[in-house]
């Protein structure tokens, strides 16, 4: 008899695209077939220890008191993230030793079982225990019992879920930092229409987007756009920006290919935080272990969803395999078609700009993923990955008077190397990556100009290298985390006018994604001291250096020029060179033409940003932490090189070479609570709460300015990015918690955010004048004041049937800027229900009804655009093999 303890691994114009789909599918199947002959029967888990402790070599904080073997094994499984298997072992009278401190899973297991007669070993992603007396040897009178199956946590969990709110893994509640995770469990429960829905209920996070453009702009603690928040896919930055009405960030990612989303809201010295100070949002894509059934070395799934309210079809298929030689591969393909949705019918909308019927809110997308990993000798691993995203959609005003069709492609490639030997001096990770995001846009002709084809594109190249070295001290452990990251943004915009009469107007389109290069390097180091299991203190920082170079085109007004010089008959004085013409044979002909200036930019700067953290555990399961961190964000290509004109030459944009980088200071205090067996055996409580106070100097906003960046220019009024004068301040409270008793659970999140932004800014960035109210700010992203989510559910029939419900309450803040003048943002409450039925381990049925009461509302992050979808019901069938 084997008893298995499943636990959470420690995971730190619509159109068709058939040719693209066929190409991706053919590539994925070809690679799968190439590896199929090598498949073995006893593959082990090969998930990287950078995400969990499956290798058994990473040091983890353990806090396991002396107790019965059954309870100790459960605690060990939860804290190590390993699957624990016990072979026919007598448990009734066996007590284990206490394990308190930072150890590898192998060390912790050895200490826990010392002197018990039970042997344990860590292999791959599992811990295997054996020994004791077999069931046939037991004396019925000695009080001993044979250990039956014990569910650690609340039933089987995938490698990307845990006992926290919406399946958040346990390591989040053991980390002294403001971290949230969107688990795979939460993704499947929400039946997301697109990536926007992934972040519903995540404390401290809001999202703009999701109406016409399937890209999303993620707002963390009131900061978003222009790489204030670093967003990555498998470690590769997604830096694409395209200016428009409102937000500029557009991150394109398919929820069907995502295993988890990790959000670090106060990221400091480390990979991903260079050049930003709003946090790091990391999308992690599927691994082979997410696809394979337990104990299988080859398999896959097919998942299909249909729904109401223009939720036409959303389907995905995945295949995975692994061998005894340490090779694993996974490939997935996703297809989604959405049409124009209907908004809610209950409630009224105020201030709509032209009708409550949304137009062009559909999209047609295809996504694909392929990863191949190889485990080498000496605890080394190499992984190669590619993610592709292809979307076609139309953007337009609410009246549909103008139409722009978009074809977006987002391609991401990564090469990752890890080296994690049983040596405290090495925990090494290196990565090379590349991202290409482009939007091929066709703009229909208007009354005063013709059609244009525009190609906005950004290539980003990056590399990173980081290592952790540990030194044992008599009173604890000292560790050093250090490394560097470098990335290069290279943007190019191409324009083709279809009307010969518009040959001189291509410069209009140069501004939303200016042509140029920006590279940034960030070198970081942190020293951390840990005393036993109750104290953690660290200090460190990062030095960022950037260089930006490019060009922009701006309107210089008009000038008079000579078309025909004419012919003079009599000069006076008679000297032709100095005289004035008194008698003309034919007079000169003059014309008026537009003047366009080329503005070049070459700028660089750097800064050191320190940080410090202290965390203590006054009681078992309670951790209190405080952190101070400074941040540095230089201007992007889109800010410093903004140029061109609003389509139709309605308003002019200009670059600002004098734009100062944003700097910030953040104070944060928080608490983690993890407790098990509170009210009943096997229940759990997970809670994370934090308060933050961030002060930002030189906040960059888009506004009206005077003056002229070009010598001899005639235009004296532009729109440009400029620095607000005075400190901007963001404060807030974030709480996430969950109580899970097995048959039922209840959890929720709460966010309070207050943002104060100055109204005065540099009105003449090319001079010394400052605005006293004459200028106008066009747009500043403002997070909602309150967000609250409550989530409850029940489980039946040994966790085969799950039914749950959510309530979401949002209270907006006052919006700032001209682009906030559309719909009036008002408080709203929505309700969702969801559930699933597992026929067996190979097939499951899921359902969800979002916006159950069909409320008419606009999300405050999108108040100038479109109302949200009304009631939408979906039904999904997933078959695994």
């Amino acid at each position: 008899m084997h008893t298995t303890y499943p636990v959470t691994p420690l995971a730190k114009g619509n159109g068709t695209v058939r040719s693209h789909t066929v190409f991706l599918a053919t590539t994925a199947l070809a690679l799968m077939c190439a590896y199929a002959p090598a498949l073995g029967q006893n593959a082990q888990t090969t998930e990287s220890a950078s995400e969990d402790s499956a290798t058994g070599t990473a040091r983890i904080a353990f806090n396991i008191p002396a107790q019965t073997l059954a309870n100790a094994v459960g605690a060990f499984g939860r804290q190590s993230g390993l699957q624990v298997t016990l072979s026919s072992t007598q448990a009734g009278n066996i007590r284990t030793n206490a394990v308190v401190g930072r150890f590898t899973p192998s060390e912790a297991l050895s200490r826990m079982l010392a002197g018990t007669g039970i042997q344990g070993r860590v292999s791959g992603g599992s811990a295997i225990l054996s020994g004791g007396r077999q069931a046939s040897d037991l004396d019925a009178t000695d009080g001993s019992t044979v250990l039956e199956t014990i569910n650690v946590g609340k039933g089987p969990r995938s490698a990307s879920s845990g006992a926290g709110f919406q399946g958040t893994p346990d390591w989040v509640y053991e980390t002294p930092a403001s971290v949230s995770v969107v688990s795979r469990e939460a993704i499947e429960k929400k039946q997301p229409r697109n990536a926007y829905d992934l972040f519903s209920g995540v404390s401290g996070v809001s999202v703009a987007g999701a109406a016409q453009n399937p890209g999303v702009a993620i707002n963390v603690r009131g900061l978003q756009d222009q790489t204030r928040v670093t967003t990555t896919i498998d470690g590769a930055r997604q830096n694409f920006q395209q200016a428009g009405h409102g937000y500029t960030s557009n991150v394109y990612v398919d929820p069907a290919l995502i295993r988890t989303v990790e959000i670090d809201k106060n990221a400091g010295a480390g990979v991903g935080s260079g050049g930003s100070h709003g946090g790091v949002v990391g999308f992690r894509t599927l691994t082979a272990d997410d696809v394979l059934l337990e104990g299988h070395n080859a398999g896959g799934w097919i998942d299909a969803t249909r729904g109401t309210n223009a939720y036409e079809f959303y389907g995905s298929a995945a295949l995975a395999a692994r061998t005894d030689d340490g090779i694993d591969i996974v490939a997935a393909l996703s297809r989604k078609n959405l049409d124009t949705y209907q908004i809610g019918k209950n409630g009224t909308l105020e201030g709509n700009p032209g009708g409550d019927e949304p137009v062009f809110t559909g999209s047609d997308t295809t996504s694909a993923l392929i990863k191949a990993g190889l485990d080498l000798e000496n605890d080394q691993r190499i992984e190669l990955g590619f993610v592709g995203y292809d979307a076609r959609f139309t953007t337009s005003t609410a009246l549909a008077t103008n139409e722009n069709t978009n074809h977006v492609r987002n391609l991401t490639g990564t090469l990752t190397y890890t080296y994690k030997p049983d040596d405290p001096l090495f925990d090494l990770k290196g990565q090379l990556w590349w991202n290409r995001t482009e939007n091929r846009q066709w703009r229909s002709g208007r009354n005063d100009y013709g059609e244009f084809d525009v190609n906005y594109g950004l290539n980003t190249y990056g590399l990173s290298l980081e290592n952790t070295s540990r030194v044992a001290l008599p009173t604890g452990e000292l560790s050093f985390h250090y490394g560097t990251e470098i990335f290069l943004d290279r943007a190019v915009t191409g324009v083709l006018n279809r009307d010969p009469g518009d040959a001189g107007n291509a410069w209009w389109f140069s501004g939303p994604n200016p042509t140029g290069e920006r590279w940034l390097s960030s070198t970081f180091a942190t020293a951390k001291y840990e005393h036993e299991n109750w104290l953690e203190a660290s200090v460190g920082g990062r030095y960022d250096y950037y260089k930006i170079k490019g060009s922009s085109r701006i309107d210089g007004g008009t000038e008079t020029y000579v078309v025909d010089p004419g012919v003079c008959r009599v000069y006076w004085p008679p000297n032709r060179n100095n005289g004035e013409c008194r008698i003309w044979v034919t007079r000169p002909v003059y014309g008026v033409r537009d003047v366009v200036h080329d503005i070049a930019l070459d700028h660089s700067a750097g800064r050191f940003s320190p940080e410090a953290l202290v965390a203590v555990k006054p009681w078992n399961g309670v951790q209190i932490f405080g952190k101070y961190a400074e941040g540095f964000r230089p201007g992007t290509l889109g800010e410093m090189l903004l140029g061109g004109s609003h389509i139709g030459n309605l308003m002019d944009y200009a670059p600002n070479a004098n734009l100062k980088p944003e700097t910030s200071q953040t104070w944060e205090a928080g608490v983690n609570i993890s407790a098990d067996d509170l009210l009943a055996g096997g229940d759990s409580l997970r809670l994370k709460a934090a308060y933050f106070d961030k002060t930002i100097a030189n906040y960059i906003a888009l506004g009206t300015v005077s003056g002229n960046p070009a010598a001899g220019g005639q235009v004296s009024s532009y729109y440009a990015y400029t620095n607000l004068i005075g400190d901007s301040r963001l404060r807030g409270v974030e709480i996430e918690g969950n109580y899970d008793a097995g048959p039922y659970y209840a959890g929720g999140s709460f966010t309070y955010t207050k943002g104060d932004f100055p109204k005065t800014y540099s009105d003449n960035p090319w001079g010394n004048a400052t605005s006293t109210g004459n200028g106008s700010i066009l747009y500043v992203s403002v997070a909602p004041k309150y967000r609250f989510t409550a989530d409850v559910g029940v489980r039946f029939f040994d966790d085969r049937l799950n039914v749950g419900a959510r309530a979401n309450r949002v209270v907006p803040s006052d919006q700032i800027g001209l682009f906030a003048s559309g719909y009036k943002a008002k408080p709203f409450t929505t309700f969702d229900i969801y559930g699933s039925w597992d026929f067996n381990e190979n097939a499951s049925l899921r359902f969800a009804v979002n916006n159950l009461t069909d409320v008419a509302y606009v999300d405050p992050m999108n108040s100038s655009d479109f109302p949200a979808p009304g009631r939408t019901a979906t039904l999904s069938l997933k078959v695994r093999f």
Side-chain angles (χ1 to χ4, degrees):
M1 179 185 70
H2 285 75
T3 303
T4 300
Y5 301 81
V7 297
T8 306
L10 183 65
K12 286 259 222 217
N14 298 343
T16 61
V17 286
R18 291 191 179 94
S19 61
H20 186 63
T21 303
V22 171
F23 170 75
L24 292 172
T26 303
T27 302
L29 290 173
L31 287 169
M32 288 297 299
C33 291
Y35 278 97
L39 298 180
Q41 297 298 320
N42 298 307
Q44 295 177 347
T45 299
T46 56
E47 180 162 339
S48 170
S50 63
E51 295 184 16
D52 59 45
S53 58
T55 63
T57 58
R59 291 181 179 272
I60 303 168
F62 286 90
N63 186 7
I64 304 174
Q67 55 191 312
T68 64
L69 177 61
N71 290 335
V73 166
F76 175 83
R78 286 190 295 270
Q79 295 180 32
S80 67
L82 300 178
Q83 297 279 353
V84 185
T85 301
L86 188 62
S87 302
S88 301
T89 304
Q90 175 185 329
N93 293 329
I94 297 178
R95 292 188 62 83
T96 60
N97 306 299
V99 180
V100 179
R102 294 188 66 84
F103 307 99
T104 67
S106 294
E107 292 171 343
L109 190 62
S110 177
R111 289 170 178 259
M112 186 179 77
L113 299 177
T116 63
I118 304 298
Q119 290 79 45
R121 62 185 179 89
V122 173
S123 176
S126 302
I128 301 173
L129 279 63
S130 61
R133 284 180 286 169
Q134 302 298 315
S136 58
D137 299 330
L138 293 179
D139 182 351
T141 63
D142 68 358
S144 300
T145 59
V146 177
L147 193 62
E148 299 296 338
T149 299
I150 298 176
N151 290 324
V152 178
K154 308 300 152 304
R157 304 286 186 178
S158 71
S160 54
S161 300
F165 174 57
Q166 297 188 101
T168 299
D170 283 351
W171 68 263
V172 171
Y173 303 97
E174 299 165 359
T175 301
S178 291
V179 180
S180 290
V181 169
V182 180
S183 69
R184 183 68 191 173
E185 176 183 314
I187 294 172
E188 294 197 343
K189 281 182 178 179
K190 291 176 180 179
Q191 304 280 65
R193 192 180 192 99
N194 47 43
Y196 175 92
D197 296 324
L198 291 178
F199 298 91
S200 173
V202 179
S203 66
V205 179
S206 300
V207 183
Q212 294 180 336
N213 191 327
V216 293
I218 303 171
N219 184 301
V220 178
R221 292 181 167 179
L223 290 179
Q224 76 177 57
D225 288 338
Q226 301 292 351
T227 70
R228 287 187 177 92
V229 176
T230 298
T231 307
T232 66
I233 296 177
D234 288 334
R237 290 187 182 233
Q238 309 292 301
N239 287 351
F240 181 74
Q241 309 284 320
Q242 182 180 327
H245 290 185
Y247 64 91
T248 64
S249 293
N250 285 286
V251 178
Y252 298 95
V253 63
D254 189 339
L257 306 183
I258 301 301
R259 70 187 306 267
T260 60
V261 187
E262 298 178 11
I263 305 110
D264 189 339
K265 306 165 196 173
N266 189 15
V271 172
S273 58
S276 65
H277 58 169
V280 177
V281 178
F283 293 92
R284 297 185 181 274
T285 58
L286 298 171
T287 67
D289 285 335
D290 297 310
V291 177
L292 296 176
L293 290 168
E294 184 177 351
H296 290 65
N297 58 9
W301 78 49
I302 297 175
D303 196 345
T305 301
R306 290 294 303 269
T308 64
N309 199 7
Y311 199 119
E312 301 297 332
F313 175 76
Y314 194 1
S316 64
L319 297 172
R322 57 191 177 202
T323 74
D324 291 333
D325 298 326
I327 299 173
D328 59 89
I329 187 168
V330 59
L333 187 68
S334 171
R335 191 79 172 84
K336 177 171 61 176
N337 180 260
L338 304 174
D339 209 338
T340 301
Y341 62 71
Q342 296 293 313
I343 68 173
K345 297 179 174 57
N346 296 323
T348 58
L349 302 173
E350 297 181 18
N352 73 70
D356 293 339
E357 292 299 321
V359 294
F360 303 125
T361 53
S363 61
D364 196 353
T365 63
T366 301
S367 301
L369 158 74
I370 187 163
K371 282 184 182 178
L374 173 63
D375 289 328
L376 305 173
E377 295 182 356
N378 301 320
D379 300 303
Q380 301 176 81
R381 177 175 171 84
I382 295 177
E383 186 172 272
L384 181 66
F386 171 80
V387 183
Y389 180 98
D390 187 292
R392 297 174 186 263
F393 56 94
T394 300
T395 53
S396 179
T397 65
L399 292 175
T401 55
N402 305 313
E403 181 179 340
N404 307 312
T405 62
N406 302 266
H407 183 189
V408 168
R409 283 180 176 170
N410 185 28
L411 309 176
T412 300
T414 57
L415 175 62
T416 306
Y417 168 79
T418 56
Y419 176 51
K420 299 178 181 294
D422 193 10
D423 185 333
L425 297 181
F426 294 98
D427 188 347
L428 180 69
K429 180 179 180 180
Q431 191 170 49
L432 295 172
W433 54 265
W434 161 78
N435 173 255
R436 163 93 179 154
T437 304
E438 64 177 7
N439 182 11
R440 296 183 177 270
Q441 187 179 78
W442 171 77
R443 307 186 67 92
S444 64
R446 277 48 163 183
N447 293 332
D448 51 353
Y449 61 90
E451 302 174 29
F452 282 89
D453 288 309
V454 188
N455 183 21
Y456 300 109
L458 178 72
N459 285 293
T460 305
Y461 311 87
L463 63 89
S464 63
L465 183 66
E466 59 183 319
N467 186 50
T468 300
S469 299
R470 298 178 175 87
V471 178
L473 301 177
T475 58
E477 181 181 82
L478 184 63
S479 63
F480 300 92
H481 181 225
Y482 48 93
T484 189
E485 64 171 331
I486 301 173
F487 68 86
L488 168 68
D489 286 334
R490 181 172 289 162
V492 177
T493 293
V495 184
L496 173 65
N497 57 286
R498 298 190 180 187
D499 188 336
D502 294 321
N505 297 331
W507 67 276
W508 290 349
F509 301 91
S510 63
N513 186 58
T515 298
E517 293 184 351
R518 180 181 76 136
W519 71 267
L520 184 142
S521 66
S522 180
T523 302
F524 55 88
T526 301
K528 180 169 65 175
Y529 173 73
E530 296 173 271
H531 181 67
E532 295 179 345
N533 198 42
W534 70 273
L535 173 64
E536 179 178 328
S538 66
V539 62
R542 72 175 196 257
Y543 180 78
D544 295 343
Y545 181 84
Y546 77 96
K547 182 177 178 63
I548 185 169
K549 185 176 182 179
S551 62
S552 184
R553 309 198 77 188
I554 66 167
D555 187 6
T558 60
E559 66 177 6
T560 302
Y561 70 102
V562 178
V563 177
D564 185 343
V567 178
C568 181
R569 181 174 184 181
V570 177
Y571 288 93
W572 189 261
N575 188 324
R576 178 171 181 166
N577 293 327
N578 297 320
E580 179 182 347
C581 184
R582 295 298 179 89
I583 301 175
W584 292 93
V585 177
T586 59
R587 290 185 174 275
V589 177
Y590 297 95
V592 177
R593 61 187 176 191
D594 294 330
V595 178
V596 179
H597 294 290
D598 290 313
I599 305 297
L601 174 69
D602 191 342
H603 189 271
S604 60
R607 187 181 189 273
F608 177 74
S609 303
E611 67 172 58
L613 178 143
V614 175
V616 296
K617 290 186 177 179
W619 306 283
N620 183 34
V622 177
Q623 183 184 56
I624 301 172
F625 62 90
K627 183 178 181 180
Y628 171 79
E630 295 188 10
F632 173 70
R633 189 193 73 88
T636 63
L637 289 167
E639 291 170 321
M640 300 187 75
L641 283 170
L642 178 68
S645 171
H646 190 284
I647 311 307
N649 205 16
L650 299 179
M651 59 184 72
D652 298 311
Y653 307 117
N656 184 359
N658 298 321
L659 202 62
K660 298 177 183 178
E662 295 177 352
T663 59
S664 64
Q665 297 177 321
T666 304
W667 295 91
E668 179 181 56
V671 60
N672 289 316
I673 298 177
S674 297
D676 298 304
D677 303 322
L678 286 174
L679 304 179
D683 68 357
S684 66
L685 173 68
R686 302 291 185 266
L687 178 70
K688 194 177 195 77
Y691 168 81
F692 71 92
D693 191 330
K694 181 186 289 285
T695 301
I696 305 169
N698 300 318
Y699 187 91
I700 299 172
L702 183 65
T704 58
V705 299
S706 59
N708 199 301
Q714 299 177 21
V715 177
S716 60
S717 177
Y718 290 92
Y719 292 91
Y721 282 99
T722 185
N723 297 110
L724 302 186
I725 297 176
D727 289 337
S728 300
R729 191 177 180 191
L730 294 163
R731 291 160 287 170
V733 175
E734 302 157 353
I735 303 173
E736 287 185 3
N738 191 66
Y739 174 76
D740 196 326
Y744 61 91
Y745 60 88
S749 68
F750 170 80
T751 301
Y752 164 73
T753 306
K754 179 175 175 56
D756 296 310
F757 297 90
K759 302 301 188 294
T760 304
Y761 60 90
S762 180
D763 188 38
N764 185 348
W766 309 287
N768 297 315
T770 59
S771 170
T772 57
N774 296 324
S776 299
I777 297 175
L778 289 191
Y779 178 73
V780 173
S781 59
V782 182
K785 188 174 183 179
Y786 296 103
R787 277 189 180 272
F788 172 75
T789 297
D791 189 1
V792 297
V794 292
R795 304 183 179 102
F796 304 98
F797 310 120
D798 295 326
D799 205 14
R800 293 177 62 189
L801 174 63
N802 293 265
V803 180
R806 281 188 302 269
N808 307 283
R809 174 69 174 173
V810 177
V811 178
S813 300
D814 293 333
Q815 300 299 295
I816 299 175
L818 177 64
F819 293 151
S821 60
Y823 285 97
K824 180 180 179 181
K826 301 190 301 182
F828 65 88
T829 302
T830 61
F831 298 93
D832 310 321
I833 58 173
Y834 59 87
S836 64
W837 169 257
D838 295 334
F839 302 108
N840 49 51
E841 68 172 2
N842 298 320
S844 62
L845 190 69
R846 306 188 308 276
F847 76 89
V849 182
N850 295 321
N851 194 2
L852 178 66
T853 54
D854 205 25
V855 174
Y857 72 96
V858 291
D859 191 287
M861 302 300 295
N862 299 311
S863 60
S864 64
D865 294 324
F866 298 90
R871 183 189 299 116
T872 304
T874 57
L875 186 65
S876 301
L877 176 64
K878 184 174 185 178
V879 178
R880 306 182 69 176
F881 53 88

